Structures are given as structure tokens and as C-alpha cells.
Amino acid sequence: MRSELLTKGIERIPHRALLKSLGLTSSEMDKPFIAVVNAASEYVPGHTHLHEISKAVKDGIRNAGGVPFEFFTIGVCDGLAMNHEGMRYSLASRELIADSIEVMLMAHPLDGVVFIPNCDKIVPGMLMAAARLNIPSAFVSGGPMLAGVVGGKRVNLSETFEAVAKHRKGEISDYELVEMENNACPTCGSCAGMYTANSMNCLTEALGLSLPFSGTEPAVTSARRRLAKETGELIMEIYKKGIKPLDIITKANMVNAIAVDMAIGASSNTVLHLLAISHEANINITLDDINELGKKIPQLCKLNPASDIFIEDLNAVGGIQSVMRELFREGLIDPEVMTISGTQGSRLKDARKADGNVIKTLESPIRSDGGIAVLYGNLAPEGCVVKQGALRPEMMKFSGVAKAFDNEQEAVEAILGGDISAGDIVVIRYEGPKGGPGMPEMLAPTAAIAGMGLDGSVALVTDGRFSGASRGAAIGHVSPEAAEGGCIAYVQTGDVIEFDIPNRQIRLLVSDEIINERKADTIIKTKETTGYLQRYARVVTSSHTGAILK
């Protein structure tokens, strides 16, 4: 046991004295010590209830003969951080989360870990830490919030952002705007659609590091509390069997997770995180691998913000296990891989068949390829990413006139001010990992485009990234980014950009000669930063590598 470094031998009397100051008994010194890593906080809606989840986990650990020790991580709410300077800290927090967990679990050697994440960067940060430390581990998320109801229609966070633009156009009244504010997010939990938090919690389940339904069971149910208690009990079995994260975070398991990613139409942010997790696990997965898998995995689910189906609906028809069972019918899931609760195949035996509505069948998918596509071309020679599962069909192939902006706020003002018209492509640059810094999400401009009624005729291209709540022709992660001298830095208003998503292509229709002339005349912009963001900008790598740190 790792904890014997604290509990065994005469020379550990000082350590035992400190542990007894916590109230531990001599008999507890002989039991496995289990860390409970909790992202709870009082002002993140997805985390405000995690003390309850943690209590259930700790009860389960004690039930099974372990001794739980809880500590906490930071966690950014992307919704609260959206469209202001706080968003620059969201992606950057992922590395701090992983690093702080490493510090705590190396300084205080324990025998196993239960991770309790919920929101966007906390899930991948904890997964990166699990891979790095390779201590017996299990995950249980806090679960999604329930959908709200406004005017008889179910809604969630993305609709609130779109409501701002609709109000600006005079399409909804002050009263309707306040109704949206009061009712869109009715419970605790991660936002109710297939946004990044729920996407990553679902992929953690698909990867095999959490129990079935951990990705979809609503935050407010008793079933979520039972799931947490069962996870606490299970970690003791995982510890006794010596199962470690790198036994589960294998290439085969990662391929399973990517297949599910494509099938459920998950957030494009998952691409960044899957690459970063693979790097920590020393697995060679690239954008090309993700793209090739995406070409052969059909999209079976289309959830909010792309539709009026929510995570709670997916949960009600069988959740991620039912999605995986349907993929398994055509050999698109490897059943032999290990999970924290048996092989993947053994877990799928109890899964429901696809219902044909929330989870489409392989014979009648939403689309024949996956929900995420990677595009290449002179504008993005190292790739860019689009959530094609949330596009209108008419935007799959598009040619438009560029309207170039050097930051998000200028673009939002132009959209809401009526300066963007059908046929335009909004280009937002200097918002990548280095240039942002922090690669902020662009939910405000995509929601503004949708709210202005332009999501079927206007595209957005950026070296930043998009919230899982974004919908429409939103192409992000353009790499190299503008701050590294990528082609996006030399786009001028009036240029023509075209993209062909089925053929995975994007091009700036400007000759190489003119682009080279612009390079000679352009001074790459930099932002004045201090503190953590300054250090982050120095060492962060391109989005096509997962924005990992050097």
C-alpha cells in the first residue's frame, strides 16, 4: 500500500501522530487510504451539490472497508466565464487542475482515488492526472441539470445567449427575456445539453473509468447519489485487484471513446481534451486518427443545442451504454477492453437497445459519419475542427466573404449591430492558445449569429474554440493560430473563404504570392499579460496537439 509510507514502522510515529490529530484510530491505520478529489464550489452550478455526491462516495468507501480523505480542486464555470476576460482562464485551468492533483497525491501517498468532476475543464484535468499518476482510480460526475421550460418549450443555457440577440432585434419582449433568465437553468448540475461538460462525462463512461449512467443520470436524482455510493464501494475492489488507469486508458479504449464522441455529436472541445489525455497516457492519437474514425462512425444522437432533445432524455432511453450497444452491432466498439467494472462487453449485456428516436439505429442514423470533422487547407494546414452534427445541411459546403476581427468582442458588436449579412464569414483571430491567451470559447458570437437569424447563411472561423452550447457553421481550432503566424493572421475583410465539410477542406481563396506579401507587411499582434496567463502563453502548444504544455 502506498499509504504505508505514512503508517508503518517506528520511523513513521510522527506521521501517525499527525494522522491521529485528524481523529484517525489505530485500526484505520491498517486500512487502505482513498483520496476523494472533489471539484465542489459554491458558485459553479455544476458543482454546488458535489458535497452531497462526495458524502455518498465516502459512505461507499467506508462501507467497503476504506478510509476516505477528501480534498478540493479549482473549477471554472464556462458559462459564468463566457464573453469576458475570465474565459481566458478556462482552458488554462485544465493544466492547473492536473498539476495540483499530482502535488497532493504525491505529497500525501494514498492507495486509490475517486474523482468527482462535473464541468468543462475539470473532467479532462482529472483524467490527465489519473493517467499521469496511475493510482487505482474511479470517476463519478455530478450529473447534468434538468432542462428548463419557457413558454411551453424546453430550453437551457444556449437559448439564453440567443435570447440576447432576439431581444436586440425586437423579437422577444423584456418580460420574455426575464422569463428566460428565471427558468432556463432550473436545477444544479452541468448544463442540460450535449455541451462540453456532459460530453466529457459521457466519454469518461465510454472510456471505462466510470460506471454506466455516470455521464447522463441527472444531478438531482437519488439514483445519482446511489451511483456515487456504488463508486465509493467499487474503488476498494479496484484497489484490491490492482487495476490502474493505464490499464484502462489504452488505445483501444480511446478509440471506443472517440467512436462514442462521434456517435453522440459531442462538443468540439473533446478533440482538445482527448489529445491531451492521450499525451498523458503516452498513446499516439492525432487529429488525423480522430478524423479517420469520424468518417466511419455514424452520428446516432442529436441533442441540444442542435435539437430539443436533452441529456435527461438520453439517460431515460439507456444512456451511453445503449449508444455503445448499437455501435457494437457493427463491430464499431471493442468489447474486450477493460473497464473499472469488468470488460466493456460485460457492461453492454445489460444495455437497452437503441430506441430509434433519441438514439437512432445504424440502419437509420442522423448522418453516416460522425458529429465532428477535421478540415485542412491553406487556412489551416495543421487542421481545424467543426461540430458538423450541429450544422444546417445548406452550410456543409459554403463560400463567403470574410469579415475579419482581431478579437471576439469586436465581432460580437458587429453581429449585434447588424454589420454582418447573409453570405459573410466572420473571422475571429488572436484568440488561440497563445494569442488569447487561453483559447477562449466563442459562444457569444455563435449565439448572436443564431439569434439574429443568420445561422443558415453566416459562418464563423476562428483560432479560438467553441462552447458545446454553440451551433451553426462554427469552425474553430484553426492551426497554426494567428499569434504563431498562421494564415488566419493574414486574412483581410473582403477575401473569399470556402469550406467543404464532406471532403474535409477549407481554403482562403488568395494566392500564395499575395499571402506572402501580406506576411511581409503584417506585424503579428501580442497581448500584454501578467501572472499565470503570461506563463501559460509562453509554454502552451498548438490546438492540433491538444494545447498541452511544453
Side-chain angles (χ1 to χ4, degrees):
M1 294 195 299
R2 293 177 78 243
S3 60
E4 289 182 355
L5 293 171
L6 304 175
T7 61
K8 299 299 180 184
I10 297 296
E11 68 278 10
R12 300 307 182 195
I13 285 177
H15 303 72
R16 293 196 294 274
L18 288 170
L19 290 169
K20 286 188 174 181
S21 78
L22 299 174
L24 266 68
T25 65
S26 295
S27 64
E28 286 178 309
M29 299 290 183
D30 295 324
K31 297 177 180 179
F33 286 2
I34 306 298
V36 178
V37 185
N38 191 354
S41 73
E42 292 187 346
Y43 72 111
V44 176
H47 296 180
T48 188
H49 65 303
L50 293 189
H51 292 294
E52 296 177 44
I53 303 301
S54 174
K55 180 182 182 303
V57 168
K58 290 186 286 187
D59 287 346
I61 292 169
R62 292 190 181 97
N63 287 348
V67 182
F69 291 86
E70 183 177 17
F71 68 90
F72 299 89
T73 68
I74 60 170
V76 172
C77 172
D78 280 26
L80 293 174
M82 196 70 66
N83 197 29
H84 59 80
E85 284 300 301
M87 179 46 69
R88 305 194 186 285
Y89 288 86
S90 174
L91 181 60
S93 74
R94 185 186 70 182
E95 320 308 315
L96 286 176
I97 291 163
D99 289 351
S100 65
I101 294 168
E102 176 189 352
V103 167
M104 287 295 288
L105 291 180
M106 293 305 293
H108 314 108
L110 304 186
D111 303 306
V113 192
V114 177
F115 293 95
I116 309 176
N118 217 26
C119 290
D120 295 35
K121 308 309 167 295
I122 296 88
V123 191
M126 288 185 175
L127 286 166
M128 291 163 67
R132 186 185 302 175
L133 295 167
N134 204 30
I135 300 166
S137 301
F139 282 68
V140 58
S141 76
M145 69 170 63
L146 300 178
V149 179
V150 176
K153 179 184 177 182
R154 292 197 303 167
V155 297
N156 199 238
L157 182 69
S158 60
E159 285 82 2
T160 66
F161 279 89
E162 293 178 15
V164 174
K166 290 179 179 179
H167 184 264
R168 183 72 67 93
K169 287 180 66 181
E171 291 183 1
I172 62 175
S173 66
D174 292 348
Y175 174 80
E176 289 172 307
L177 196 64
V178 173
E179 281 289 287
M180 184 72 74
E181 177 182 321
N182 288 340
N183 298 298
C185 300
T187 73
C188 63
S190 49
C191 296
M194 190 56 78
Y195 307 167
T196 304
N198 291 327
S199 295
M200 287 307 303
N201 284 325
C202 288
L203 296 192
T204 303
E205 180 182 332
L207 188 59
L209 279 169
S210 62
L211 286 170
F213 294 99
S214 180
T216 57
E217 182 65 48
V220 295
T221 66
S222 57
R224 171 60 61 182
R225 276 83 185 146
R226 293 195 300 271
L227 191 64
K229 190 176 292 185
E230 289 164 0
T231 303
E233 293 170 346
L234 180 62
I235 189 61
M236 297 303 298
E237 184 178 339
I238 293 167
Y239 159 72
K240 290 171 185 174
K241 291 181 177 178
I243 299 171
K244 297 181 179 179
L246 293 185
D247 297 322
I248 294 171
I249 309 177
T250 64
K251 184 150 191 177
N253 289 66
M254 289 297 294
V255 168
N256 278 353
I258 295 168
V260 171
D261 194 352
M262 296 298 172
I264 62 177
S267 166
S268 57
N269 280 317
T270 58
V271 173
L272 287 170
H273 303 321
L274 290 171
L275 291 171
I277 295 160
S278 297
H279 172 76
E280 290 286 354
N282 199 27
I283 299 169
N284 184 25
I285 288 179
T286 66
L287 272 184
D288 287 340
D289 296 322
I290 294 172
N291 210 24
E292 289 306 309
L293 280 165
K295 292 177 182 178
K296 69 178 185 179
I297 305 295
Q299 185 179 350
L300 303 180
C301 302
K302 191 171 186 177
L303 278 67
N304 179 271
S307 78
D308 58 0
I309 299 171
F310 290 83
I311 297 291
E312 65 196 79
D313 304 317
L314 176 59
N315 186 72
V317 299
I320 293 304
Q321 298 303 304
S322 291
V323 174
M324 297 185 80
R325 174 175 172 162
E326 186 64 16
L327 293 173
F328 173 62
R329 287 205 299 118
E330 290 293 329
L332 299 174
I333 289 292
D334 184 344
E336 301 301 322
V337 298
M338 181 186 295
T339 77
I340 59 170
S341 57
T343 66
Q344 191 61 258
S346 68
R347 287 167 44 135
L348 295 182
K349 287 178 182 178
D350 297 326
R352 296 189 204 173
K353 294 181 180 178
D355 72 313
N357 180 26
V358 176
I359 304 171
K360 302 294 186 183
T361 63
L362 292 170
E363 290 76 21
S364 184
I366 291 165
R367 55 183 308 117
S368 60
D369 57 355
I372 294 174
V374 181
L375 314 183
Y376 293 94
N378 69 338
L379 188 58
E382 293 175 345
C384 57
V385 178
V386 60
K387 185 177 176 179
Q388 62 174 343
L391 267 71
R392 293 189 180 188
E394 62 267 30
M395 297 300 289
M396 293 297 290
K397 293 184 179 181
F398 187 75
S399 178
V401 177
K403 297 287 181 68
F405 302 92
D406 287 343
N407 62 69
E408 176 190 7
Q409 192 56 46
E410 289 179 3
V412 172
E413 291 170 1
I415 296 164
L416 295 177
D419 297 331
I420 303 300
S421 305
D424 287 344
I425 295 182
V426 178
V427 177
I428 305 177
R429 58 196 171 200
Y430 294 106
E431 298 287 17
K434 284 185 180 295
M439 204 179 181
E441 288 184 342
M442 302 289 160
L443 177 55
T446 58
I449 289 169
M452 298 294 282
L454 296 170
D455 58 314
S457 59
V458 168
L460 196 158
V461 176
T462 181
D463 51 8
R465 60 194 177 91
F466 295 106
S467 166
S470 290
R471 62 185 176 95
I475 300 171
H477 307 203
V478 169
S479 186
E481 61 175 291
E484 291 189 321
C487 184
I488 193 171
Y490 313 113
V491 176
Q492 294 184 0
T493 294
D495 289 346
V496 175
I497 296 172
E498 66 176 16
F499 55 84
D500 180 346
I501 294 174
N503 289 305
R504 307 298 199 261
Q505 295 176 352
I506 185 168
R507 287 194 60 79
L508 173 66
L509 299 186
V510 174
S511 70
D512 290 345
E513 182 181 10
I514 292 175
I515 292 173
N516 287 331
E517 289 175 1
R518 292 178 182 176
K519 285 182 179 180
D521 295 335
T522 301
I523 297 174
I524 298 298
K525 296 183 177 182
T526 58
K527 289 189 177 76
E528 290 294 327
T529 56
T530 59
Y532 177 56
L533 282 186
Q534 185 180 75
R535 299 195 301 275
Y536 180 83
R538 286 179 189 153
V539 296
V540 69
T541 62
S542 167
S543 58
H544 85 280
T545 67
I548 59 174
L549 302 187
K550 295 177 186 176

